[in-house]
Amino acid sequence: MIPEERPDGPDSGEESARLQPAGSVRKGCDPLAQTPRGRLQSRRAQVHQQINKELRMRTGAENLYRATSNAWVRETVALELSYVNSSLQLLKEELEELNGSAEADRPEGEGVTVPMIPLGLKETKELDWSTPLRELISGHFGEDSASYEAEIRELEDLRQAIRTPSRGEAGLELLMAYYNQLCFLDARFVTPTRSLGLLFQWYDSLTGVPAQQRALAFEKGSVLFNIGALYTQIGARQDRSCPEGTRLAIEAFQRAAGAFSLLRENFSRAPSPDMSPASLSMLEQLMTAQAQECIFEGLLLPSPEAPQGCLAQLRLAQEAAQVAAEYRLAHQSMAQPPVRDYVPFAWTTLVRVKAEFFSALAHYHAAAALCDSSPAEADCPAPPQAILGLPPTSGPPGAAPPQEQEGRRMLAGGRTGRVPTLSRAGKAHLKRAILGQEEALRLHAMGRALRSVDLLQAVLARALRHSLARYSELEREDDFLEATEAPGVPPKTQQKPEIRAPSFSRVKVTDIFHRLGPLSVFSAKNCWRLVGPVRVTRGEAGFGLTLRGDAPVLIAAVIPGGPAEAAGLREGDYIVSLNGRPCKWWKHAEVVAQLRGAGAEGVSLQTVTLLPRAGPPSTGDPQPALGALRRGQKECGQEPPAPAPAGPRPLLGWSCKAKRGKSRGGLLPRP
C-alpha cells in the first residue's frame, strides 16, 4: 500500500502550486560541515570508495591470474594480489574503528552517562532517473515526457538530498519523504515482471563493500535502513541526565528497533551483510538493550514520585539485571556466524562491558536493599531477602515475627548490631559487584577503540569506588573470603521497551507524478486505449449513461439506444477529459454538475478503456494513448489541477511474508 492520494476539483489551481519553487527543494546537510559526525561520515564515504577501488583491482588481478599460463605473469599478479589484500585489510580495520567510534555521538549536556552505540548511514552514488522515466511516460502512459522535466528534476534533487541528511528531525523527515515517494514510484512504474531498469548501488554500512540491485525494493530497504541508523544517532546524542533527554533517547532507540524489525520481516533477500536477517536481528536486539538501559537511567534520576528506601533499591537491582540480560542477548547475537565476521570488535567489547557493568550494578543495589532494610521491610509479605532468593530471617512458618529490633536480632543469631544474615548477604552481593566492575574495567582496557572513550572509563571507575566505599562501611562480622556466594539477581522490569515502527504518517507528501492520473488506473500494471474525444448530446432521457465513483469517474452503465451508446461510449470506461479539460482527479459530483450544465450542443468527452493485462496499449489516434489530453488542455488554456497533500496513511508498500511468501525482489507493494 502507498500514501493516500486525494482527488482534486476542476478549479484546484495550477501545476506551479504543487511543484516547489526553484531553490526551495528539501536539502541535505553540507557534507563538508566540520562537525564530529559530519567529519566521520565523510571519512567513511572516502573509505567506501577506496574499498570499492581495491575490490575492482583484486577482481581484475584474479581474472588475469586464472587466464594466463605465463609463470612470470602469475608471479607478478600474485605479488600484486598480496598488496591489494593488505590494503583491503587496513581499510576494513579503519572502517571498523570509524563504526566503533563513540566520540562523534557523545551525549549532549554535562552529565556523565555511559556512551551508546550509534550506527553509520549507508552511502550511495548519484542516480539518473530521467532516461527510464521518460521512456515509461512517453511509451506506456502516452504523455509528452518533456513536460515532466520538472517532476523528474524534483525527484533527482530529493534523492541527492537524502545522501547527506541532517542528524535530527529534519533529516528523518527528509528520508521519510523520499521513502514515501518511492512507494508512489513502486505503485505507478513497477510491475512484477518489469523493473525501472536502474541499477541501485549502496555501500554496506559495516563492511564498506558495494552492493547492487535493479529492484526498487533495494532502494526502499536501504532508505529504511538509514532511517533506523539515523534514529540510533539521535538517541545516542540525547542528554540522558534529564528526564526529557531520557524520554527522547528511549523513543529514538525504540523507533530504530522498529525500523530494523520492519526491514527484517519484509526484505528476505539481502544483497549486503548489514541488511541480512541475522544482522537486522542483532541490530534490533542491540537497540532494545539500549532502550532498556535508558529506562534504567531514568529511574536513577531524582524524582519526588520515585519510591524511596529498601524497595526502591530492590527495584533498581532488578531493572539493572534486566539491562544486563538484554545486553547478554545482544552479545550472543553478535557472536553468531556470520555476524561475528563483520560486526565491529568495538561493538562486541562494549556490549560485554555493559553486560558486566549492569550485572555488577544489580548486585550493588541488591546489597543496598539488604543492608539498609528496616524491620518493617524485612517483615513485609515480600521482604528483600525473599525476592532475591535468600533464606528468611524469621522463625518457622506460622510463628509471629517479633516487632522489636532486638527480637529480630535474636531470631537472626542473637548478636547485637546489624542482622547477620542480611549483612553477610549484602557483603556477598558487594563482592560480586566489585568483581564485575573490575571485569568491566579489564574488558574496557582490552579494546583499543574503547580505551579512547574517557567517559566510559570514568563511569566504570566511579562505580567501582562506590562499591569499595560501601563495603568498607559494613561491619566486619565475617572475613571477606568467608562470605556466602550471592545468587544472581532475577531480572525484572516495569517498563519493557516497545518496538515501534517509524511514523511515516507524520510526513505528508504528494505524488510527484500526480499529473499522470490516479494510481488505480494509470500505472504500469494497467494497459488502456483512448476513446474520443466524442460529442454526446442530451436526449429526452438525458445523456443515456450512469456514472459512479471518483477520480476517475466510471461509466457504470450505458442505456441501449441512448446518446452515449450512439457516441461509442461503453460500460466500464473512465472519463478522463470533459470539454477539453482533464478530469482524471474530479469527483463524481463535479462531473455530474458539468454534465447538467451542458447546453443543447452537448459535451465533449474522452474516455479510456482498460485492456487485458497481456495486451499492449493501443489507440486509433496517430498520437500515443492519452496524448490528446495534452492537446485539449493546451487548446483550452487549462493546466492540470494541483493535488492536495497526501493523506495520513504512509503505508510502506511491502507485503508480509506470512501472506505472500518470499518474493524475488523483496519489498513488494501491497495491493
Side-chain angles (χ1 to χ4, degrees), residues 79-132:
L79 181 61
E80 184 64 27
L81 274 173
S82 66
Y83 286 132
V84 171
N85 289 330
S86 298
S87 299
L88 273 174
Q89 184 63 29
L90 292 175
L91 288 171
K92 290 182 178 180
E93 289 178 0
E94 182 180 358
L95 181 61
E96 181 176 322
E97 291 182 4
L98 294 174
N99 287 333
S101 175
E103 293 297 317
D105 292 287
R106 296 187 64 171
E108 301 173 350
E110 300 179 356
V112 180
T113 53
V114 180
M116 295 293 184
I117 298 179
L119 185 61
L121 303 183
K122 294 172 70 71
E123 301 282 345
T124 184
K125 288 186 174 182
E126 294 186 7
L127 192 64
D128 180 18
W129 292 89
S130 58
T131 301

Side-chain angles (χ1 to χ4, degrees), residues 116-119 232 253 256-257 260 279-293 326-327 329-331 333-334 343 347-348 350-351 354:
M116 295 293 184
I117 298 179
L119 185 61
T232 68
F253 287 125
F260 297 135
S279 295
L280 295 173
S281 297
M282 179 271 294
L283 292 173
E284 180 183 345
Q285 178 59 47
L286 177 60
M287 297 309 130
T288 302
Q290 295 192 138
Q292 191 71 62
E293 179 182 350
E326 295 289 350
Y327 274 116
L329 291 176
H331 183 264
S333 63
M334 290 181 178
V343 70
W347 288 16
T348 307
L350 182 55
V351 167
K354 288 193 172 188

Side-chain angles (χ1 to χ4, degrees), residues 54-392:
E54 296 293 338
L55 287 174
R56 291 199 302 267
M57 292 179 60
R58 186 174 70 177
T59 301
E62 290 174 346
N63 292 336
L64 179 59
Y65 186 86
R66 288 190 294 265
T68 185
S69 59
N70 187 292
W72 180 83
V73 174
R74 290 172 69 91
E75 182 180 355
T76 305
V77 172
L79 181 61
E80 184 64 27
L81 274 173
S82 66
Y83 286 132
V84 171
N85 289 330
S86 298
S87 299
L88 273 174
Q89 184 63 29
L90 292 175
L91 288 171
K92 290 182 178 180
E93 289 178 0
E94 182 180 358
L95 181 61
E96 181 176 322
E97 291 182 4
L98 294 174
N99 287 333
S101 175
E103 293 297 317
D105 292 287
R106 296 187 64 171
E108 301 173 350
E110 300 179 356
V112 180
T113 53
V114 180
M116 295 293 184
I117 298 179
L119 185 61
L121 303 183
K122 294 172 70 71
E123 301 282 345
T124 184
K125 288 186 174 182
E126 294 186 7
L127 192 64
D128 180 18
W129 292 89
S130 58
T131 301
L133 290 181
R134 286 173 182 168
E135 293 177 354
L136 275 171
I137 291 173
S138 60
H140 185 86
F141 292 87
E143 298 273 3
D144 180 11
S145 60
S147 65
Y148 285 86
E149 290 294 332
E151 284 87 346
I152 296 175
R153 186 169 58 253
E154 183 179 350
L155 177 63
E156 290 179 339
D157 290 343
L158 182 59
R159 191 183 190 274
Q160 182 66 18
I162 62 105
R163 297 179 63 192
T164 55
S166 61
R167 268 58 181 179
E169 290 297 324
L172 287 174
E173 292 180 1
L174 181 64
L175 289 170
M176 291 182 184
Y178 180 63
Y179 181 85
N180 287 340
Q181 290 296 340
L182 291 178
C183 293
F184 281 123
L185 290 175
D186 196 1
R188 188 178 295 279
F189 295 113
V190 178
T191 67
T193 58
R194 181 178 61 184
S195 66
L196 286 174
L198 290 169
L199 188 63
F200 302 100
Q201 177 172 312
W202 290 80
Y203 291 91
D204 190 281
S205 176
L206 301 177
T207 65
V209 177
Q212 298 177 345
Q213 263 195 3
R214 295 192 179 276
L216 186 64
F218 181 43
E219 179 86 351
K220 294 168 63 178
S222 299
V223 173
L224 182 56
F225 183 94
N226 275 359
I227 291 174
L230 189 52
Y231 268 120
T232 68
Q233 297 180 13
I234 294 174
R237 293 180 55 195
Q238 297 301 323
D239 179 14
R240 305 194 304 277
S241 61
C242 62
E244 180 63 17
T246 302
R247 183 190 66 80
L248 293 176
I250 295 172
E251 173 73 14
F253 287 125
Q254 290 181 150
R255 294 289 187 185
F260 297 135
S261 175
L262 188 64
L263 189 56
R264 175 178 56 82
E265 294 172 356
N266 294 276
F267 198 14
S268 58
R269 298 180 180 270
S272 58
D274 59 353
M275 294 172 61
S276 65
S279 295
L280 295 173
S281 297
M282 179 271 294
L283 292 173
E284 180 183 345
Q285 178 59 47
L286 177 60
M287 297 309 130
T288 302
Q290 295 192 138
Q292 191 71 62
E293 179 182 350
C294 295
I295 292 172
F296 173 77
E297 290 176 337
L299 297 175
L300 295 178
L301 298 177
S303 173
E305 294 84 9
Q308 303 295 328
C310 166
L311 295 181
Q313 294 294 331
L314 180 62
R315 178 185 176 187
L316 290 176
Q318 294 178 320
E319 292 282 353
Q322 181 69 35
V323 178
E326 295 289 350
Y327 274 116
R328 280 192 289 268
L329 291 176
H331 183 264
Q332 291 176 6
S333 63
M334 290 181 178
Q336 297 295 325
V339 178
R340 66 184 180 189
D341 298 330
Y342 47 79
V343 70
F345 178 74
W347 288 16
T348 307
T349 306
L350 182 55
V351 167
R352 287 188 62 192
V353 168
K354 288 193 172 188
E356 292 291 342
F357 172 69
F358 284 101
S359 178
L361 271 185
H363 287 288
Y364 176 83
H365 289 291
L370 291 170
C371 297
D372 297 341
S373 61
S374 64
E377 290 169 329
D379 298 330
C380 67
Q385 61 270 26
I387 297 179
L388 295 175
L390 298 175

